[in-house]
Amino acid sequence: MEFSEHIKTANVEDVVLRQPLHPPGRGTLCITGHHLLFSDREEGSCRQVLLLLRNIDAIEKSGVCRLSGSSGTITIKCKDLRVLQLDIPGMEECLNIARSIETLSCLDSMSELYPFFYRPSSASLRDQWGLSSLERHYSQMKELHDRWRLSTVNRDFSVCPSYPQAVIVPKSTDDDMLEKVAKFRQGGRFPVLCYYHKKNGMVIMRSSQPLTGANRKHCREDEQLLQAVIDGSDKGYIIDTRSSQQALQARMTGGGLESKSCYSSWKRLQRQMERGKALQESLIKLVEACGEESNNMDRWLSKLENSKWLSHVQTALSTAGLLAECVERDGHSVLVHGSEGTDSTLLISTLAQLIMDPSCRTLEGFLTLLEREWVQAGHPFQQRCAHSAHSHARLQQESPVFLLLLDCVWQLWRQFPLALGFSEALLLRLATEAYASDYGTFLGNNQQERCALGVKENTHCLFQALLRPRERDCYSNPLYEHTELAIWPSVYPQSLQLWRGFFLRWTPQTHHLEEAQEEIRNMVIEWGKLALSSCPASTRRSEDVQNM
Amino acid sequence: MEHIRTPKVENVRLLDRSSGQRKASIGTLYLSATHTIFVENNPETRKESWVLHSMVSSVERTPTIPAGSQVILRCKDFRVFQILVPQERDCLDVHTSLVRLSRPEKYSELYCLSFNPNVNKEERQESWSFMDLTADYKRMGLPNNLWVSTAANSEYRVCETYPSELFVPKSATPPIIVGSARFRSRGRFPALSYFHQDTLAAVCRCSQPLSGFSGRCQEDEAMLQALMKANPGSDYIYVVDTRPKLNAMANRAAGKGYENEDHYTNIKLHFIGIENIHVMRSSQQKIIDVGEMRFPSMTDFLYGLENSGWLKHIKAILDAGLFIARAVADEGISVLVHCSDGWDRTAQACSVASILLDPYYRTIRGLMVLIERDWVSFGHKFSHRYGHLDGDPKEVSPVIDQFVECVWQLSEQFPCAFEFNERFLVAIHTHIYSCQYGTFLGNCQKERRDMRLGERTHSVWPELWKERAQYTNPLYRAEQSQSQGVLRPNTTPYCFKMWKGLYNHAEKSTPPRQSPADFLSTVREESQQLEEELANQQERIAALNGEPITWEKVLRRRTSRPRPPPLRAGPAVFYTDPTSSPAQEPPPPRRISLCSRPGVGSRRLLHCCLRGQRPLLWLEGGLFLQ
């Protein structure tokens, strides 16, 4: 298919662009297969705006007919929550542009997406793709080798389509067993290791729900696998991210939960977390409340409450806290699942790792964690991030789980400004990239799809790009100080705040806060330099500053 | 001392809700003339908690249970202490004593008058001369050919609650002033609060006119005319009535009210709608309750926040200040501000406007000067509003709390614009209530003079100034664009937050669990030292290259400038609780986490801090692992 089919009008002159935080500009608008390009033709200015069409969530058209000729206005609402306005002379041009944007912003075929065409001069397709793999992860974790093994039972994605080719499982379970267990778990997502707590040898496992169904089937192999996990310990916990009622109801549709009789040494904890459509609606409500220019305090607070977004943040953090508590303080292994095991499950296992494991809290460590727990573990990015809060399209599989994760991480970052090695800018960048990206990292729903598309061979990797020296400067936290301790977040309502950097990103006030961040960065850099030049004893710290 | 029935009770249990302890500590309770003191029995820590009697806002006794009965102390800085006394008799005694001690009837019972530290006379006098309002007026460029100081109110003849020295327009003659004062509630005639040198516009304040439905007064009209003329560039002034219009209208029936635009030429009347002290009092109570909820859900919390209306009121005050600042800075129009008596809402609106208009008031010294001018000197009724003495509870209202919170909200929006930090604001808030110093005693300048407070007490300002190192915001840069000129805050509702540092006591040490500000202060201090060191070294190199330098010089420099301390001094101050008194020790480690590995030096302290963490909420739900 040719993109040009969809572009009737490629260029319009004399367009006025209005965007937040900038004065309106007049210039030329240009539509290409993947981008909207605006270049300012005003004297003394050479501003250009390059917007990925994929970033556009919704557009609204309105027209004015005047004697001097008609003109139209297109309001563009982006997935990064920016709202732009284009005043286009000529009604026909306006409609053509709108039509092109509508079609090109939600192309169905993944192979037509921009990452397959993005060829920056600074990188080559032969560069390393991704930061790590499970094979590498396993080989680095020597502690694991006694009791755990790397299984390639899923090498052709036939056992579980949403798992990567290699997974880590208890040594005592062989591949035949795994195949049987996979049949007993939704989507074949059998229990696999996701985190090993070095301090006490306890682990976090994750899976999907067991398919017990109405007649309470059970699976010997599944029970054996889990027993092998807690081998030598008195018990383990299962954290189910659904309420007891939801879990029981799931039996009607073939799902279910681990019964006490079959899994006697496992204690089940039900913690209901909102998912799917409800989460998406929550985001829509919040974004709507933030966009409203009302001056009424009561209205704002009641809309904020009504959106329930902060409640979801609270629930996610406290469930993750509970999980970390079981492992770190209580010293037991935990299995996490909800129903599919691709959303809330990943959310809390990721947060729990950030809380407990200092190696996840560096810039590199965090990106590796995301790669392992979200990209490789099969969070369906393509489905979840197809649309964001502005879209009028009928909701299908959209759900801002990843965004919720980033919000929770931001809350951690705010509560422990010295403990995390990355900056808020990184979280904002990831929030944008997950929805529309030049890179192939978040393409597709799982490794299988990515393999089929040749993502590795034909696109560039975001995580690698974020770690290049210039980006690293911007995305690292100048205040970072390594600590071995767990960072227990406070989940008290007053401790949690609206993530202004994201939700109110396009309001003028964030500017002052950014200035403050810049000031902090400069202070620390200045300090590092001075320390280096005048006090040799302090080089240790200065090196840290340089390495960040 | 005669009010203390039982000076010492042993084996009591203290639950300090403000520090979020989960388990009560056992110890001894002492009642002194000035403090309630609890000393822990634990021989290792012997932790002491001191509560000044004047900081206690209420004492409550719960019904007796087998373990004893409880006394609950609620403090004016929103701390809450629960004390379990085993014997009912003792409990009754403690309760009765505290009720009496916390409600002094005479000024002489207050801490600053009853407790006399042995300092010499000169030192005391010096402490009062620290604050010089004349110097501030001078800084604004006063007196000049538009505004002059008037002697009309010397000896408080015209207005008892005004200061003796005031600035009025040059053309306002004493008869005009006296006439205008007669037509204004409590004689509070229009006087200058702030003069903006860039535009020559001024912020003036007064009380409501006694106009009723049809009253008028030539002198008052002449006074407003004089205000306008004192601003050469303008042909009208704004009269800002900070009350809701309905309240202002209702006042007309009582012979008061607001300016009739038909009688006053060239005024533009503007109503803001800040609620009265009674609404504010109950609103604050509601927000305190929100802070005290034990296990609120997000919904409970946000609903409680909305229901309290507190942020709405804060926003109204900030809006009032913003309106005035814009009129003065952008339009160059003078503003006359009043409410009913001109000592509550007027003080709020004028002082917020000054903060927005003038960077000086965003410095440590500047904020002190501002409070001294717009609040202390202009007769804000501190003793009534903050319940210094046992009196009419309807007079009590958190008026200055709201001003202090407005400043905090602004500092959240402009992190680099203020020289001081949150701790400074909290310290000021505490001292307004504590009566440890004479600064905020009484209800007006005349009362303070009559009480001879200058001879009998100390001023709080030099004490705060001495401690300024810990009140400094490390991000402040006087020369930065954010710090200069007029502040233009966004007052959209989403810009306001609940001030956790002041109200949240159920979980005070969070967040941030780690304080970047303290870290940065250390960074900044060290940078300065290093810079000096560097300049020093360069000087030496230059000297060595040029003229020979004597060894004595080098040696002297070495001794006068010690090497900077080890660089990681930062974490030693992480997690310090801004509201706890410096005497209090950090909470002892409660639970040894599995990962604790003693490090070295400051790092070790960081570990301790992390270990001494608060209980976790998912645990406190009592569902799990208890």
Side-chain angles (χ1 to χ4, degrees):
Chain A
M1 189 187 71
E2 284 292 315
F3 297 122
S4 55
E5 277 172 31
H6 300 294
I7 305 173
K8 286 228 174 67
T9 304
N11 274 295
V12 194
E13 297 282 342
D14 214 23
V15 173
V16 176
L17 170 76
R18 290 168 222 280
Q19 56 172 336
L21 310 182
H22 291 286
R26 186 178 291 274
T28 310
L29 177 75
C30 178
I31 297 279
T32 71
H34 292 109
H35 287 99
L36 179 152
L37 176 70
F38 176 87
S39 51
D40 207 328
R41 288 288 154 81
E42 223 106 315
E43 249 172 74
S45 146
C46 48
R47 198 150 48 97
Q48 286 207 339
V49 177
L50 183 68
L51 182 71
L52 206 56
L53 290 174
R54 190 80 189 163
N55 193 350
I56 296 175
D57 206 17
I59 66 169
E60 283 157 22
K61 302 162 279 200
S62 62
V64 196
C65 286
R66 284 202 207 87
L67 280 177
S68 55
S70 57
S71 80
T73 298
I74 301 179
T75 306
I76 296 179
K77 297 184 170 173
C78 300
K79 291 172 185 168
D80 61 7
L81 308 186
R82 200 168 8 160
V83 178
L84 311 173
Q85 224 183 48
L86 293 166
D87 296 339
I88 299 169
M91 193 55 105
E92 198 186 322
E93 284 84 352
C94 177
L95 290 176
N96 283 344
I97 298 269
R99 210 167 297 131
S100 307
I101 294 177
E102 269 166 356
T103 321
L104 293 169
S105 65
C106 37
L107 294 172
D108 284 331
S109 157
M110 252 187 283
S111 58
E112 285 169 4
L113 294 179
Y114 187 61
F116 290 101
F117 298 85
Y118 177 60
R119 295 291 173 263
S121 54
S122 58
S124 148
L125 284 178
R126 264 163 303 179
D127 291 347
Q128 192 199 331
W129 211 97
L131 303 175
S132 184
S133 62
L134 265 154
E135 288 89 339
R136 232 177 97 196
H137 181 63
Y138 179 79
S139 68
Q140 281 167 350
M141 300 271 291
K142 297 270 182 280
E143 314 76 40
L144 283 178
H145 298 191
D146 265 358
R147 289 188 47 220
W148 301 85
R149 70 184 183 95
L150 199 68
S151 161
T152 49
V153 66
N154 198 35
R155 67 187 84 76
D156 52 0
F157 303 107
S158 60
V159 178
C160 170
S162 63
Y163 268 167
Q165 281 149 310
V167 290
I168 302 171
V169 292
K171 216 166 198 170
S172 55
T173 48
D174 56 38
D175 284 357
D176 294 341
M177 238 173 108
L178 291 178
E179 280 178 41
K180 282 181 190 142
V181 177
K183 291 205 179 80
F184 183 64
R185 295 270 172 182
Q186 185 176 354
R189 293 177 73 91
F190 54 90
V192 295
L193 178 105
C194 88
Y195 173 67
Y196 178 83
H197 196 53
K198 287 182 195 160
K199 286 161 196 154
N200 59 11
M202 292 302 136
V203 298
I204 300 178
M205 309 282 294
R206 54 176 156 68
S207 69
S208 59
Q209 65 178 342
L211 300 173
T212 54
N215 44 11
R216 311 203 179 170
K217 267 191 303 194
H218 57 97
C219 167
R220 231 15 262 140
E221 288 77 9
D222 193 70
E223 289 154 26
Q224 279 167 1
L225 192 158
L226 288 185
Q227 194 56 46
V229 170
I230 50 169
D231 182 31
S233 168
D234 56 334
K235 64 172 176 185
Y237 292 106
I238 296 174
I239 295 182
D240 191 331
T241 63
R242 304 164 293 178
S243 68
S244 317
Q245 207 191 351
Q246 280 172 331
L248 289 172
Q249 271 171 0
R251 282 192 187 152
M252 296 301 128
T253 48
L257 39 76
E258 291 85 355
S259 65
K260 276 199 190 89
S261 52
C262 301
Y263 301 85
S264 53
S265 36
W266 290 84
K267 184 171 161 45
R268 219 177 47 237
L269 302 165
Q270 309 285 154
R271 287 288 185 280
Q272 188 188 356
M273 293 177 68
E274 212 52 79
R275 60 194 76 229
K277 222 174 198 168
L279 207 55
Q280 180 74 11
E281 272 157 11
S282 166
L283 175 71
I284 293 172
K285 279 185 192 161
L286 178 64
V287 169
E288 193 194 303
C290 291
E292 196 177 289
E293 287 293 312
S294 156
N295 231 0
N296 185 323
M297 183 67 73
D298 292 349
R299 196 178 155 85
W300 158 250
L301 288 173
S302 90
K303 286 203 151 192
L304 181 63
E305 190 278 303
N306 194 252
S307 80
K308 294 274 182 273
W309 180 263
L310 284 173
S311 304
H312 302 325
V313 171
Q314 189 188 27
T315 313
L317 276 173
S318 57
T319 314
L322 172 71
L323 169 54
E325 183 113 65
C326 293
V327 176
E328 155 103 29
R329 285 197 171 150
D330 197 47
H332 283 104
S333 293
V334 186
L335 168 70
V336 190
H337 70 74
S339 37
E340 292 171 23
T342 53
D343 297 290
S344 318
T345 306
L346 306 182
L347 176 61
I348 66 163
S349 74
T350 309
L351 288 172
Q353 293 182 53
L354 272 173
I355 292 172
M356 289 186 288
D357 185 3
S359 66
C360 298
R361 300 186 207 136
T362 61
L363 176 61
E364 212 150 1
F366 179 60
L367 293 177
T368 313
L369 176 71
L370 289 184
E371 184 182 58
R372 193 173 67 236
E373 284 297 281
W374 290 77
V375 178
Q376 293 168 356
H379 175 67
F381 279 98
Q382 202 67 33
Q383 292 174 354
R384 299 291 182 258
C385 301
H387 286 287
S388 180
H390 291 299
S391 172
H392 306 300
R394 210 168 59 84
L395 291 182
Q396 288 166 334
Q397 303 271 355
E398 289 85 356
S399 184
V401 193
F402 187 63
L403 200 56
L404 184 61
L405 169 84
L406 295 176
D407 196 332
C408 292
V409 175
W410 178 79
Q411 307 281 353
L412 271 177
W413 181 83
R414 219 183 56 83
Q415 293 188 21
F416 298 92
L418 313 178
L420 298 173
F422 44 87
S423 67
E424 182 178 9
L426 178 81
L427 301 176
L428 290 171
R429 173 85 188 261
L430 289 170
T432 310
E433 298 281 345
Y435 283 87
S437 180
D438 293 345
Y439 299 91
T441 301
F442 295 123
L443 277 181
N445 294 308
N446 49 49
Q447 290 295 77
Q448 186 185 20
E449 283 185 30
R450 271 171 225 123
C451 282
L453 285 166
V455 165
K456 225 174 203 171
E457 295 75 31
N458 298 311
T459 73
H460 290 279
C461 170
L462 172 68
F463 295 147
Q464 286 291 351
L466 293 177
L467 289 173
R468 270 188 232 124
R470 257 206 18 227
E471 273 78 4
R472 196 187 269 270
D473 266 356
C474 158
Y475 296 125
S476 60
N477 175 8
L479 297 176
Y480 174 64
E481 163 82 353
H482 177 86
T483 166
E484 278 295 319
L485 294 167
I487 49 171
W488 300 103
S490 160
V491 295
Y492 199 74
Q494 291 168 46
S495 308
L496 303 174
Q497 285 191 355
L498 178 67
W499 185 14
R500 294 181 57 167
F502 181 75
F503 292 105
L504 300 168
R505 190 176 183 179
W506 308 104
T507 58
Q509 251 45 46
T510 34
H511 163 69
H512 300 300
L513 303 181
E514 275 162 23
E515 246 175 58
Q517 287 297 328
E518 195 52 45
E519 187 65 50
I520 293 176
R521 188 173 294 277
N522 290 339
M523 266 172 84
V524 177
I525 290 172
E526 189 64 15
W527 174 52
K529 275 190 205 147
L530 281 165
L532 204 65
S533 57
S534 93
C535 178
S538 60
T539 37
R540 187 198 67 79
R541 174 65 203 180
S542 329
E543 271 162 21
D544 287 358
V545 172
Q546 305 248 305
N547 288 342
M548 278 188 310
Chain B
M1 289 300 273
E2 74 266 28
H3 308 302
I4 300 170
R5 292 196 184 179
T6 313
K8 180 180 173 188
V9 188
E10 282 178 345
N11 285 323
V12 301
R13 287 163 185 273
L14 174 81
L15 197 66
D16 177 1
R17 289 227 303 246
S18 53
S19 72
Q21 283 174 0
R22 258 198 299 169
K23 288 207 180 96
S25 45
I26 304 171
T28 310
L29 188 75
Y30 299 92
L31 292 188
S32 82
T34 54
H35 288 87
T36 306
I37 307 150
F38 175 84
V39 184
E40 232 176 57
N41 281 351
N42 185 345
E44 269 175 40
T45 51
R46 298 289 290 175
K47 196 187 148 199
E48 295 175 13
S49 309
W50 292 58
V51 183
L52 200 64
H53 293 323
S54 48
M55 286 309 281
V56 174
S57 68
S58 77
V59 191
E60 220 181 284
R61 198 164 60 90
T62 58
T64 312
I65 51 165
S69 49
Q70 270 193 7
V71 177
I72 301 174
L73 281 187
R74 283 171 205 279
C75 298
K76 292 169 180 172
D77 58 359
F78 315 115
R79 288 184 299 167
V80 182
F81 297 92
Q82 275 172 283
I83 306 160
L84 183 73
V85 184
Q87 298 294 326
E88 200 188 348
R89 242 191 82 83
D90 290 337
C91 181
L92 200 65
D93 284 350
V94 168
H95 178 255
T96 320
S97 309
L98 279 175
V99 165
R100 178 62 189 84
L101 289 167
S102 65
R103 284 186 210 145
E105 283 159 3
K106 300 189 294 283
Y107 280 116
S108 59
E109 289 174 33
L110 290 176
Y111 185 86
C112 61
L113 288 167
S114 65
F115 177 72
N116 260 324
N118 294 325
V119 257
N120 61 37
K121 205 177 148 196
E122 286 95 68
E123 219 173 285
R124 192 177 56 234
Q125 276 167 353
E126 209 181 308
S127 95
W128 284 101
S129 62
F130 174 84
M131 183 57 66
D132 180 6
L133 283 185
T134 322
D136 186 47
Y137 285 117
K138 208 170 191 172
R139 198 190 56 84
M140 294 181 212
L142 299 178
N144 56 22
N145 57 358
L146 301 168
W147 294 87
V148 291
S149 166
T150 174
N153 201 38
S154 62
E155 288 308 306
Y156 312 101
R157 276 181 309 222
V158 180
C159 173
E160 283 214 329
T161 58
Y162 262 5
S164 54
E165 200 195 352
L166 282 164
F167 281 83
V168 291
K170 201 172 191 179
S171 58
T173 58
I176 292 182
I177 295 174
V178 174
S180 166
R182 275 202 209 106
F183 188 63
R184 293 273 167 186
S185 186
R186 301 184 195 262
R188 294 172 69 92
F189 58 90
L192 182 107
S193 160
Y194 176 72
F195 179 71
H196 195 58
Q197 272 173 299
D198 298 351
T199 59
L200 304 182
V203 180
C204 303
R205 53 186 290 176
C206 62
S207 59
Q208 63 184 339
L210 303 174
S211 57
F213 290 103
S214 58
R216 62 189 292 184
C217 166
Q218 275 186 347
E219 288 91 345
D220 195 56
E221 286 159 30
M223 185 75 186
L224 266 63
Q225 197 66 20
L227 292 183
M228 191 197 83
K229 282 198 190 126
N231 181 3
S234 72
D235 44 15
Y236 65 94
I237 60 168
Y238 281 110
V239 174
V240 170
D241 191 327
T242 54
R243 298 169 292 184
K245 191 167 185 185
L246 209 64
N247 300 19
M249 281 162 82
N251 261 302
R252 291 211 292 196
K256 299 167 188 168
Y258 53 92
E259 290 80 359
N260 184 334
E261 277 175 290
D262 297 337
H263 297 161
Y264 295 83
T265 42
N266 311 321
I267 67 164
K268 283 191 183 172
L269 203 55
H270 186 86
F271 290 92
I272 301 271
I274 303 175
E275 297 292 347
N276 64 27
I277 57 168
H278 312 295
V279 175
M280 299 308 191
R281 187 191 320 117
S282 77
S283 170
Q284 193 188 40
Q285 189 51 53
K286 284 182 195 155
I287 203 162
I288 294 171
D289 295 344
V290 169
E292 273 186 27
M293 284 194 274
R294 294 306 296 278
F295 307 110
S297 68
M298 190 52 92
T299 302
D300 295 339
F301 170 72
L302 288 173
Y303 179 76
L305 196 59
E306 182 194 339
N307 198 37
S308 75
W310 184 254
L311 290 180
K312 181 169 70 185
H313 301 314
I314 297 294
K315 175 173 152 55
I317 295 162
L318 211 50
D319 278 331
L322 189 57
F323 177 85
I324 299 166
R326 278 198 183 133
V328 168
D330 300 351
E331 299 177 60
I333 302 293
S334 293
V335 184
L336 176 64
V337 188
H338 71 72
C339 48
S340 300
D341 289 320
W343 51 39
D344 294 319
R345 290 171 266 197
T346 303
Q348 290 175 332
C350 289
S351 49
V352 169
S354 286
I355 289 260
L356 297 177
L357 283 166
D358 195 334
Y360 175 65
Y361 299 119
R362 296 172 222 145
T363 63
I364 290 179
R365 193 185 267 269
L367 186 71
M368 296 180 187
V369 169
L370 181 64
I371 292 176
E372 181 76 22
R373 187 191 74 211
D374 272 344
W375 296 81
V376 180
S377 88
F378 267 101
H380 175 65
K381 305 201 293 174
F382 280 93
S383 278
H384 283 168
R385 294 291 177 260
Y386 312 115
H388 292 165
L389 297 183
D390 191 23
D392 183 1
K394 286 214 166 67
E395 280 284 321
V396 177
S397 185
V399 183
I400 203 165
D401 297 38
Q402 291 183 315
F403 164 67
V404 174
E405 178 163 343
C406 282
V407 179
W408 179 80
Q409 299 278 2
L410 285 172
S411 73
E412 284 288 290
Q413 226 177 90
F414 301 94
C416 306
F418 291 83
E419 190 193 11
F420 45 82
N421 56 19
E422 183 182 36
R423 218 172 279 170
F424 183 57
L425 297 174
V426 173
I428 290 179
H429 180 268
T430 305
H431 283 303
I432 285 166
Y433 287 89
S434 75
C435 303
Q436 276 177 289
Y437 297 91
T439 309
F440 303 117
L441 235 54
N443 294 305
C444 60
Q445 208 176 58
K446 182 168 181 286
E447 259 185 63
R448 277 187 286 274
R449 192 198 58 172
D450 295 347
M451 279 194 276
R452 296 184 295 110
L453 288 180
E455 294 159 38
R456 298 162 68 200
T457 68
H458 288 259
S459 164
V460 68
W461 302 127
E463 296 304 313
L464 290 173
W465 182 249
K466 262 184 239 158
E467 303 281 298
R468 63 186 177 280
Q470 61 157 318
Y471 297 137
T472 305
N473 167 16
L475 291 177
Y476 175 68
R477 292 280 181 284
E479 67 281 0
Q480 215 194 17
S481 63
Q482 212 185 102
S483 315
Q484 289 173 338
V486 181
L487 282 193
R488 292 166 206 283
N490 183 347
T491 60
T492 316
Y494 54 63
C495 295
F496 293 82
K497 292 182 274 200
M498 177 164 172
W499 187 4
K500 206 161 15 266
L502 192 63
Y503 291 109
N504 185 9
H505 299 280
E507 218 188 4
K508 211 181 244 172
S509 72
T510 62
R513 291 285 176 72
Q514 299 172 316
S515 156
D518 288 332
F519 178 84
L520 288 169
S521 293
T522 319
V523 164
R524 189 169 188 187
E525 216 168 89
E526 277 168 8
S527 293
Q528 269 161 6
Q529 279 174 0
L530 289 167
E531 228 160 57
E532 275 171 33
E533 182 108 333
L534 196 66
N536 211 11
Q537 303 278 5
Q538 279 166 346
E539 201 180 299
R540 274 173 59 194
I541 291 166
L544 285 169
N545 289 341
E547 64 188 72
I549 191 161
T550 58
W551 275 111
E552 286 87 336
K553 261 190 184 169
V554 178
L555 282 174
R556 200 172 59 233
R557 281 213 184 102
R558 276 216 177 136
T559 44
S560 65
R561 279 193 223 286
R563 288 185 75 84
L567 275 171
R568 299 307 297 134
V573 280
F574 294 164
Y575 309 107
T576 44
D577 182 351
T579 49
S580 70
S581 71
Q584 273 180 2
E585 281 168 15
R590 223 177 311 108
R591 197 195 272 253
I592 308 298
S593 57
L594 289 161
C595 53
S596 66
R597 275 208 316 245
V600 280
S602 54
R603 194 172 284 267
R604 183 181 193 142
L605 263 159
L606 174 70
H607 280 252
C608 291
C609 291
L610 274 165
R611 259 188 272 134
Q613 244 174 44
R614 344 243 33 273
L616 298 155
L617 256 172
W618 50 86
L619 265 182
E620 281 192 317
L623 297 167
F624 182 58
L625 300 182
Q626 273 291 39

